[in-house]
Amino acid sequence: MLRAAFNRLVGMLTVMAIVVTIVFIIVRVTPGDPAAVMLGPDATAADVQALRQRLGLDGTIFQQFVAYIGGILRGDLGQSIFLGQPVTTALWMRAEPTFFLTLFSLGIATIIALPIGIASAYWRGSLFDQAMTAIAMFAASVPSFWLGLIFIQVFAVQFGWFPTSGYGGPYTGFVERLHHLVLPAATLGIVSSALIMRFTRASMLDVLNDDYVRTARSKGMTEWRVVVKHALKNALIPILTVVGLTAALLISGAIVTETVFALPGVGNLIVSAVLRRDYPVIQGALLIVAGLYVLINFLIDMLYLLVDPRVRY
Amino acid sequence: MNSFLKLMSAAILAGASLPAIAHAQSHGGAIDVATIGEPPTLDPMTSTADLVGIITQHMFETLYTFDGNWAVAPLLAADLPEISEDGLTYTIALRDGVTFHDGSAMTSEDVVASLERWLRIASRGLQTAEVVESVAAIDDLTVEITLSTPYAPLLSLLSLNNSAAIVIPAEIAGNDVMEDYIGTGPYQLGERRPDQFIQLTRFEDYASREEDASGYGGGRAQYLDEIRFVPVPDANTRIEGAVAGQFDYVDSIPVEAYDRIESGQTEPVMLAPFGWPVFVMNTAEGVMADLTTRKAVQAGLAPHDMLLAAFGSEEFFAAEAPMYPDSYVWHTEAGIEPYNPSGDMERAASLLAESEYDGSPVRILTSRQYEFHYTMAQVAEAYLEAAGFDVQLDVVEWATLTQRRTDPALWDIYITHSPFLPEPSLTGIMSDTSPGWWVSDAKHAALGAFNAEADPDRRVELWSAVQEVIYEEVPAFKVGNFNAVAAQSSNLEGMNPAPWPYFWNAYLAE
């Protein structure tokens, strides 16, 4: 197990090194200039050049890359050009809404998808199964920004149950802040539930016809115990994989949802950083998101070892 | 201008020059103001962005500002300056008893340090620095600015709220990067959580002017305890927030949502006219460097159709040629004959035949940051192709556009817009170095005379000559005038529609 963990860890570091390099190059070769954005529409070329010098953006790409790598090795992701604060602080300040949004969305997606997926597999081919398949296809193809706007119109504007956007003001308590997350989490959760549901159904179908399920039934075990205790337990590995992948996808999926709902999370930070060309924030945020993605995959791999002793790396 | 717009303009002007609100308004309460996003900085010296000006004008103040008639009015200065007969020396007396948010008193030392910072780092300051010889403190409450040549736009430059000549404590002004946001304004920075809110709280020791309020000038009452600016970057979400009544004020709403706002819990507010879309020509390089080709573009474009496509209804625009609408003192019809709301295709084709145009693509650089830019570009493409041009639309996002437009090799026309700036010489094309790079003897003669003249009436006359040169040399094509729409809670009173909305003097009805 330790050897497997070590091998996976080396792989993770290699992936991260590639991510750091590619993100740096893409960000720098993309047209656009943070100095021009900061100075506003009426600035002249000379003003922009002067600000570039003040911001240290006038060095060669190689010099900037060396400085950036040096910073990462010291645990310093740099300073945001626009926010006037370290990138790590900017990310930390936005971690709360993104963390709870991801958690809520994953909870909603799993609560919707698991029972429906199991039921669809159990009653495969039935009207219920076909209806759920159609709904899953619809949910998977709906753009989250569109669903978000529909939710805002219905639940915030028509019924007034939730705020249309934001994460509360200076005096907003924790519970009220979570209240702001209900609509975005539902949006993201519903869109993400389709994948988990389809995987659950497929995985359950694989095991429901296995011999040990038939044996369990022949022993007179109740259908509930057969499905949940025997079939579901063995179908869990692929489901676990897709739930883990969905969690990673939700972090990047939050980019659109956070923008629509004006949530001050990591996704919103990435969007505004890209639009303003706040290079250190883009690089730092993508590094963290990629790191989380890789870490989640690592944890899933480790979980396999625990859930299924036959797994070997 | 149709009667509706006239009525709106008259209403705005009347509103903007109302005497100070009676002092029976309710004190207290906080308002939430939805803005188009997070400002790139809270240092208004370093940015010309409207959003920066809207927020920071509550925290920082300038020596002068603009009253309800867009005339320069004193703010931190005690009065308008004494200007020497040769127009080279401005002696500015400061108000006594003004304190900064940190409790220290404002003196001439702070003003000199602030103006030096402005001349060193602000776009508009750097432009002014070319004619400023010195800034000196005469005594604790008097400052003297000496110029090398008469420069009439100086007072307007000292009055603007973006790239603004704000007054801050001398020790802060010594640094190019602002870390402490200490001003003299009626509200001070409370808490800032980027992308969530910027909280401004009432500055209890604020020293308001005593005159009646007029536009940005006069007394500034602090009825509200707090103003919170909440970034809502998605326009559709801002609309829904306005309909649901979540905000007390919602800035910058697409005009097509006017009816939807009207049916909701806040009321639409129209600022008519707000500004002008403009096609800036690259006079330095490429196909538009030829004057006859630019004139062919001027003749071929049909501004009425472009505006109709962009804004949907005549309620929201006016196809008007003058650089300023008739509600401004700068309004003149001098030289506007080449502007034809429906375009003149025959004239365009004939001019094109006379021109040096060699059939190369005309590269129109635009973005969808502002959808109306893109829509106008599409209509322009159709008209210019009908006139015989080969057109290439280069649609990029805004940050790319702001970089590309600084390189004359990359574009022929780029699309932008501007509010009606109170001082015409601050308009982008007036600078020889701004993208477009319009330089000519006729421009320098007309603009030089306009900038050197101090007498306001004489300046109005001289502005006509500048407008004539603009239409003669076509450094840019002004498409027309357009309106801006915001939304306001019926509970929020004391507001006047303004290009940079302000919330001093505003209060919540009980």
Side-chain angles (χ1 to χ4, degrees):
Chain A
M1 170 113 177
L2 271 179
R3 186 177 174 78
F6 178 76
N7 287 342
R8 279 283 182 271
L9 209 60
V10 172
M12 275 171 66
L13 290 175
T14 313
V15 169
M16 291 311 295
I18 293 169
V19 167
V20 166
T21 311
I22 290 177
V23 167
F24 185 89
I25 292 170
I26 289 176
V27 165
R28 301 299 160 135
V29 298
T30 305
D33 187 344
V37 176
M38 183 180 271
L39 288 170
D42 294 342
T44 65
D47 304 338
V48 172
Q49 189 51 34
L51 185 60
R52 285 182 65 82
Q53 278 175 0
R54 282 212 303 280
L55 295 173
L57 296 170
D58 55 337
T60 63
I61 287 190
F62 183 71
Q63 286 169 336
Q64 294 179 44
F65 184 66
V66 170
Y68 177 56
I69 296 296
I72 289 179
L73 293 177
R74 292 192 304 275
D76 175 12
L77 293 179
Q79 186 89 3
S80 163
I81 295 171
F82 287 88
L83 301 172
Q85 58 186 183
V87 173
T88 40
T89 310
L91 286 168
W92 183 246
M93 284 174 72
R94 287 162 173 79
E96 183 190 295
T98 303
F99 175 75
F100 284 110
L101 176 63
T102 309
L103 204 66
F104 274 19
S105 309
L106 197 62
I108 290 171
T110 314
I111 288 169
I112 294 172
L114 271 185
I116 295 178
I118 295 167
S120 282
Y122 189 77
W123 290 298
R124 63 184 170 281
S126 67
L127 191 62
F128 173 82
D129 180 29
Q130 286 171 19
M132 288 303 123
T133 303
I135 289 171
M137 288 301 110
F138 178 72
S141 28
V142 162
S144 57
F145 69 87
W146 179 82
L147 190 63
L149 284 171
I150 297 295
F151 277 5
I152 290 174
Q153 285 198 4
V154 176
F155 298 108
V157 177
Q158 295 292 328
F159 297 140
W161 292 345
F162 304 99
T164 55
S165 62
Y167 198 52
Y171 313 113
T172 305
F174 181 68
V175 175
E176 205 182 324
R177 290 208 295 279
L178 295 187
H179 184 228
H180 280 76
L181 288 179
V182 174
L183 287 185
T187 306
L188 209 49
I190 287 174
V191 172
S192 314
S193 63
L195 186 68
I196 301 177
M197 189 186 123
R198 295 300 295 166
F199 261 83
T200 306
R201 181 182 180 277
S203 186
M204 286 294 289
L205 278 180
D206 278 349
V207 296
L208 278 174
N209 292 324
D210 280 355
D211 290 344
Y212 67 87
V213 172
R214 199 175 307 122
T215 309
R217 281 190 178 126
S218 66
K219 285 196 299 183
M221 199 176 270
T222 61
E223 276 300 294
W224 172 257
R225 280 178 69 85
V226 170
V227 171
V228 174
K229 203 165 169 66
H230 289 267
L232 182 61
K233 196 172 176 188
N234 284 288
L236 260 184
I237 281 207
I239 296 173
L240 205 62
T241 310
V242 82
V243 169
L245 284 175
T246 305
L249 284 172
L250 281 172
I251 296 170
S252 47
I255 290 176
V256 175
T257 313
E258 284 182 4
T259 308
V260 170
F261 287 93
L263 285 175
V266 176
N268 203 346
L269 178 69
I270 293 173
V271 171
S272 52
V274 168
L275 292 176
R276 297 166 181 161
R277 304 293 190 271
D278 195 341
Y279 298 145
V281 173
I282 303 172
Q283 289 160 182
L286 293 187
L287 182 67
I288 298 292
V289 171
L292 283 173
Y293 207 100
V294 170
L295 187 69
I296 288 171
N297 274 294
F298 172 75
L299 293 176
I300 292 168
D301 285 351
M302 295 300 106
L303 266 180
Y304 286 170
L305 294 174
L306 294 178
V307 172
D308 189 345
R310 292 169 302 175
V311 174
R312 289 281 180 276
Y313 292 116
Chain B
M1 181 184 266
N2 66 32
S3 54
F4 175 80
L5 289 182
K6 278 191 170 161
L7 192 66
M8 288 302 299
S9 301
I12 287 160
L13 275 181
S17 50
L18 279 174
I21 307 147
H23 292 286
Q25 320 309 348
S26 61
H27 274 258
I31 59 166
D32 288 316
V33 178
T35 61
I36 59 166
E38 182 69 18
T41 174
L42 285 185
D43 178 358
M45 264 196 204
T46 59
S47 178
T48 58
D50 290 335
L51 176 59
V52 175
I54 288 170
I55 295 170
T56 60
Q57 64 187 341
H58 298 84
M59 300 152 58
F60 300 104
E61 292 180 317
T62 43
L63 291 172
Y64 299 98
T65 188
F66 297 105
D67 69 13
N69 297 314
W70 292 108
V72 171
L75 185 54
L76 289 173
D79 213 331
L80 289 175
E82 284 176 26
I83 306 174
S84 63
E85 287 215 355
D86 59 6
L88 297 179
T89 309
Y90 286 62
T91 307
I92 301 169
L94 305 175
R95 281 166 58 211
D96 196 5
V98 174
T99 51
F100 288 109
H101 298 156
D102 63 1
S104 61
M106 180 193 77
T107 67
S108 55
E109 186 200 348
D110 301 307
V111 175
V112 170
S114 301
L115 290 179
E116 283 172 348
R117 183 178 189 264
W118 182 66
L119 294 168
R120 192 170 67 241
I121 67 165
S123 301
R124 300 191 200 284
L126 286 161
Q127 183 187 328
T128 314
E130 292 171 14
V131 297
V132 173
E133 269 192 354
S134 67
V135 181
I138 303 300
D139 59 42
D140 269 3
L141 290 174
T142 312
V143 171
E144 190 175 85
I145 301 174
T146 309
L147 307 179
S148 56
T149 183
Y151 190 57
L154 178 66
L155 286 185
S156 293
L157 284 161
L158 292 176
S159 306
L160 271 175
N161 66 13
N162 61 66
S163 195
I166 53 166
V167 176
I168 51 182
E171 56 271 27
I172 294 176
N175 299 319
D176 287 356
V177 178
M178 186 182 281
E179 285 172 0
D180 298 308
Y181 302 97
I182 307 290
T184 58
Y187 289 88
Q188 58 189 342
L189 184 62
E191 187 182 357
R192 179 189 188 191
R193 284 193 215 157
D195 293 329
Q196 191 173 347
F197 61 81
I198 293 171
Q199 176 201 38
L200 304 184
T201 57
R202 184 195 289 126
F203 173 41
E204 298 296 349
D205 294 329
Y206 178 65
S208 171
R209 295 192 72 87
E210 289 176 0
E211 300 97 319
D212 287 349
S214 170
Y216 296 89
R220 294 181 169 188
Q222 306 161 277
Y223 296 119
L224 299 166
D225 292 336
E226 271 185 32
I227 305 164
R228 294 190 291 257
F229 293 94
V230 182
V232 186
D234 188 282
N236 290 313
T237 312
R238 278 204 303 286
I239 294 168
E240 299 308 328
V243 174
Q246 186 177 335
F247 302 102
D248 299 281
Y249 190 89
V250 182
D251 193 29
S252 194
I253 284 183
V255 289
E256 59 269 23
Y258 189 91
D259 292 341
R260 178 152 171 72
I261 300 293
E262 228 172 9
S263 66
Q265 295 191 30
T266 48
E267 294 159 6
V269 182
M270 179 135 64
L271 178 61
F274 167 77
W276 48 293
V278 58
F279 281 41
V280 180
M281 315 271 185
N282 178 356
T283 63
E285 271 185 42
V287 292
M288 290 299 140
D290 173 45
L291 174 58
T292 316
T293 310
R294 295 204 297 273
K295 286 190 170 186
V297 170
Q298 185 185 47
L301 292 175
H304 183 272
D305 280 3
M306 291 159 71
L307 291 163
L308 189 62
F311 298 103
S313 160
E314 293 193 0
E315 274 179 65
F316 303 120
F317 71 85
E320 290 188 354
M323 299 299 286
Y324 280 85
D326 57 10
S327 51
Y328 281 75
V329 68
W330 305 110
H331 175 79
T332 169
E333 303 211 338
I336 62 170
E337 295 74 21
Y339 180 95
N340 186 334
S342 313
D344 185 342
M345 207 54 72
E346 275 182 31
R347 187 173 140 73
S350 139
L351 282 164
L352 195 59
E354 286 171 32
S355 73
E356 293 171 8
Y357 180 63
D358 60 1
S360 306
V362 174
R363 295 159 301 169
I364 300 181
L365 181 62
T366 187
S367 92
R368 302 189 75 160
Q369 170 90 2
Y370 303 96
E371 197 60 24
F372 67 92
H373 290 187
Y374 175 65
T375 314
M376 286 192 304
Q378 287 179 304
V379 180
E381 179 186 25
Y383 272 95
L384 291 179
E385 287 192 337
F389 285 98
D390 179 17
V391 179
Q392 173 185 320
L393 277 194
D394 289 340
V395 187
V396 297
E397 50 85 69
W398 188 248
T400 305
L401 185 146
T402 58
Q403 186 193 36
R404 280 201 182 179
R405 69 180 175 185
T406 60
D407 184 346
L410 296 180
W411 59 277
D412 299 305
I413 294 174
Y414 92 86
I415 303 174
T416 186
H417 70 271
S418 170
F420 293 103
L421 293 172
E423 164 61 43
S425 62
L426 304 183
T427 306
I429 53 170
M430 303 302 173
S431 162
D432 289 355
T433 55
S434 73
W437 304 279
W438 177 39
V439 179
S440 80
D441 292 342
K443 170 193 175 182
H444 289 165
L447 193 61
F450 177 68
N451 283 346
E453 179 59 59
D455 178 59
D457 295 334
R458 180 81 189 108
R459 292 193 84 218
V460 170
E461 287 169 28
L462 289 168
W463 169 246
S464 299
V466 180
Q467 182 171 291
E468 279 176 16
V469 181
I470 293 172
Y471 272 94
E472 185 54 36
E473 300 200 343
V474 208
F477 180 81
K478 183 205 171 203
V479 186
N481 305 339
F482 72 97
N483 307 343
V485 174
Q488 183 181 322
S489 154
S490 56
N491 211 25
L492 183 65
E493 296 187 3
M495 292 280 299
N496 291 313
W500 305 292
Y502 52 91
F503 301 94
W504 57 80
N505 296 341
Y507 60 95
L508 290 168
E510 286 185 11

